[in-house]
Amino acid sequence: MTSSLGVLADLTPESTRAVVLRAAMSALAANPGESLSEIAAAAGIGRTTMHRIFPTRADLLNALALRAVGQLRAALDSARLDEGSAPEALARVAEAVLPLADELRFLDAGPEVWKLPELRDAWWSITASLDALVERGQRAGEIRGDLP
């Protein structure tokens, strides 16, 4: 039986980084206060390796936020917001985004996540595209305009 450390030893730095990001998403979703040491243990790496990949908690959160935004942007792109009626496009958004719920739960890790400028800027871009979709549906009479 190969240990997780043996498996990680065979991975490229990019693969190890991906393993750490997945472990961090899961750990932070379960416990927003999880330390880098605890996340390292969950990823099957030592603290030194963790600090080499992500020197600070802010570095880790930034990487997670950028990954989350990329996933959300890809999901919205796949939902083809400009095609069909607004309700049809919103249904495609739900189908594309809901499978990501567990991976994106770390976004509730607390205010330190939302203090990251990269996340705020990207988040506004994502919400702007959804706002435009809803406004299109309201103009077409497909979505009630009297609700925020």
Side-chain angles (χ1 to χ4, degrees):
M1 177 176 193
T2 305
S3 74
S4 62
L5 290 175
V7 170
L8 283 176
D10 296 336
L11 295 177
T12 65
E14 295 80 22
S15 298
T16 301
R17 180 180 168 91
V19 168
V20 171
L21 288 173
R22 280 193 303 276
M25 281 183 177
S26 177
L28 291 171
N31 177 10
E34 201 85 347
S35 71
L36 286 181
S37 296
E38 292 166 326
I39 293 169
I45 62 171
R47 278 188 356 208
T48 303
T49 301
M50 175 63 124
H51 285 285
R52 193 171 34 247
I53 298 169
F54 299 108
T56 67
R57 182 178 175 85
D59 293 327
L60 173 63
L61 290 175
N62 193 46
L64 285 171
L66 293 176
R67 183 173 190 258
V69 166
Q71 289 176 301
L72 285 171
R73 176 57 54 207
L76 290 182
D77 289 347
S78 74
R80 304 173 323 278
L81 301 182
D82 296 329
E83 293 180 21
S85 71
E88 291 168 346
L90 285 171
R92 289 191 301 271
V93 168
E95 289 173 9
V97 172
L98 286 176
L100 302 174
D102 288 338
E103 290 185 51
L104 302 179
R105 189 171 294 135
F106 87 93
L107 291 170
D108 287 334
E112 68 183 318
V113 172
W114 292 100
K115 289 180 183 176
L116 301 168
E118 295 88 348
L119 179 60
R120 282 193 318 263
D121 295 345
W123 187 256
W124 288 118
S125 169
I126 288 169
T127 58
S129 63
L130 291 172
D131 288 345
L133 172 60
V134 170
E135 289 169 6
R136 176 171 66 90
Q138 289 172 332
R139 282 191 309 275
E142 300 166 331
I143 297 175
R144 288 178 49 183
D146 62 330
L147 299 175

